[in-house]
């Protein structure tokens, strides 16, 4: 318990030291202002210590990490990755507010991995070039709004039935709408990752998850999206959206997760991007 109290004390001290410098001034933060309004602190007054305090601290650390990457230029060089990282950060906040601690812990692990990958990409780019703001910021934010809408449209629950790669009819409608949007934005591609629930062995779930990703690609292609714009992968049952074995949880874990890839993130004066170092 002593070590845990020290951990919480460290959380409070870090939050108090860096928190005041992590938030942009009103109307000047761009992407950094898109977080939902969450008032997390590692320890609330008169609250008994519990695992939620460590998760709140972890949420704050990932937020600080993302804010730092945004300040260093990630919002200009990798805007699609940043807007989707903010969506994930907001999802974790909602899970913590709703007491879904296992779900929040799982998403924090995924978020850390994403942010570490983004940091490596940004370090590589900024070692050779610099990230600059867009010349047309209005068009830039319109583009991000499209990416955000696509991400939310494609990453909804209730996509597949048990032991099946056949797409549920409602989700098929989402795929049709997304394909129509993507037809108007030819530089946006998709990375489709298949998932399975916890029932079945590893090899079978790996195969089933890949079939789900491929089936989504098939329907997107039927709706007019070129297959070359869709990459498919499988992680089997290794990255559940929620932890647990209830029927509802298993339903949400039978899914694909889809990332929107902006192939113009290396060009642009419109969107910002990479420019040679002076």
């Amino acid at each position: 318990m002593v070590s845990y109290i020290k951990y919480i004390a460290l959380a409070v001290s870090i939050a108090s030291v860096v928190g005041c410098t992590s938030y942009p001034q009103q109307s000047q933060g761009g992407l950094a202002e898109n977080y939902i309004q969450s008032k997390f602190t590692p320890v609330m007054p008169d609250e008994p210590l519990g695992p939620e305090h460590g998760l709140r601290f972890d949420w704050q650390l990932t937020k600080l990490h993302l804010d730092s990457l945004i300040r260093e230029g990630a919002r200009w060089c990798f805007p699609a990755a940043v807007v989707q990282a903010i969506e994930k950060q907001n999802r974790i906040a909602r899970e913590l507010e709703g007491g879904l601690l296992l779900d929040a812990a799982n998403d924090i692990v995924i978020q850390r991995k994403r942010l570490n990958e983004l940091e490596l990409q940004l370090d590589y780019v900024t070692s050779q070039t610099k990230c600059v703001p867009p010349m047309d910021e209005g068009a830039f934010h319109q583009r991000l709004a499209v990416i955000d809408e696509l991400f939310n449209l494609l990453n909804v629950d209730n996509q597949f039935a048990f032991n099946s790669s056949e797409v549920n009819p409602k989700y098929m409608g989402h795929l049709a709408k997304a394909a129509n949007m993507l037809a108007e934005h030819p530089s946006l591609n998709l990375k489709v990752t298949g998932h399975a629930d916890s029932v079945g062995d590893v090899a079978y779930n790996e195969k089933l998850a890949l079939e789900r990703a491929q089936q989504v690609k098939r329907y997107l292609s039927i709706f007019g999206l070129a297959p070359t714009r869709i990459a498919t992968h499988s992680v089997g049952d290794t990255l559940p959206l929620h932890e647990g074995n209830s029927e509802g949880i298993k339903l949400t874990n039978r899914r694909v997760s889809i990332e929107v890839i902006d192939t113009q993130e290396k060009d642009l004066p419109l969107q910002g991007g990479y420019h040679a170092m002076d």
Side-chain angles (χ1 to χ4, degrees):
M1 177 59 74
V2 172
S3 62
Y4 188 75
I5 292 174
K6 288 181 178 178
Y7 177 79
I8 296 302
L10 175 63
V12 174
S13 63
I14 291 177
S16 62
V17 170
V18 297
C20 62
T21 61
S22 300
Y23 300 93
Q25 294 181 1
Q26 185 68 24
S27 301
Q28 296 183 18
L31 291 175
E33 290 186 351
N34 291 338
Y35 298 108
I36 63 174
Q37 297 301 313
S38 298
K39 299 178 180 178
F40 295 133
T41 58
V43 181
M44 298 296 286
D46 303 320
E47 209 177 30
L49 295 179
E52 66 273 15
H53 300 115
L55 291 174
R56 290 173 187 169
F57 177 45
D58 287 340
W59 184 90
Q60 288 181 326
L61 288 183
T62 55
K63 182 182 184 303
L64 292 174
H65 190 182
L66 179 52
D67 284 347
S68 175
L69 295 175
I70 289 171
R71 288 195 304 272
E72 291 169 12
R75 60 178 162 178
W76 307 134
C77 279
F78 303 102
V82 168
V83 76
Q84 290 168 98
I86 290 173
E87 286 286 354
K88 175 65 74 172
Q89 198 70 23
N90 289 342
R91 182 187 185 96
I92 298 168
R94 289 191 293 269
E95 289 167 345
L96 289 172
E97 288 178 334
L100 303 173
L101 303 187
L102 287 176
D103 300 336
N106 186 61
D107 276 338
I108 285 171
V109 171
I110 296 172
Q111 182 75 330
R112 282 177 180 155
K113 182 175 183 294
R114 281 188 178 181
L115 295 181
N116 287 337
E117 291 172 350
L118 179 58
E119 183 174 8
L120 290 174
Q121 291 176 314
L122 186 63
D123 286 347
Y124 175 77
V125 168
T126 55
S127 69
Q128 304 177 58
T129 63
K130 61 182 177 181
C131 298
V132 298
M135 295 178 61
D136 186 342
E137 192 161 349
F140 171 77
H141 285 289
Q142 286 178 2
R143 188 174 191 82
L144 289 188
V146 170
I147 293 169
D148 191 40
E149 184 178 355
L150 281 168
F151 181 83
N152 286 313
L153 185 66
L154 292 167
N155 291 280
V156 295
D157 293 337
N158 194 11
Q159 301 170 357
F160 300 92
F162 173 69
N163 198 29
S164 173
S165 61
E166 189 55 49
V167 176
N168 285 342
K170 185 175 181 180
Y171 187 57
M172 199 179 299
H174 285 246
L175 297 179
K177 183 176 179 180
N180 288 334
M181 292 177 62
L182 287 160
E184 299 176 2
H185 300 277
S187 70
L188 299 180
N189 292 342
L190 300 178
K191 177 183 176 182
V192 183
T193 301
H195 301 260
D197 64 27
S198 57
V199 179
D201 61 43
V202 172
Y204 181 81
N205 285 340
E206 177 77 20
K207 177 176 178 291
L208 177 60
L210 181 59
E211 289 172 353
R212 286 172 173 161
Q214 291 171 337
Q215 187 76 321
V216 165
K217 178 176 181 177
R218 173 174 172 265
Y219 277 111
L220 286 168
S221 301
I222 290 172
F223 295 138
L225 187 63
T228 54
R229 295 175 62 187
I230 312 164
T232 57
H233 308 269
S234 170
V235 294
D237 58 12
T238 61
L239 287 175
L241 188 61
H242 300 293
E243 294 288 345
N245 292 308
S246 73
E247 290 305 313
I249 287 176
K250 287 189 287 188
L251 175 63
T252 58
N253 287 337
R254 297 192 290 265
R255 75 193 201 283
V256 292
S257 55
I258 300 183
E259 183 179 357
V260 183
I261 308 296
D262 191 344
T263 61
Q264 284 190 353
E265 287 189 344
K266 293 186 180 180
D267 303 320
L268 343 147
L270 169 68
Q271 185 176 316
Y274 311 168
H275 287 255
M277 294 289 283
D278 295 330

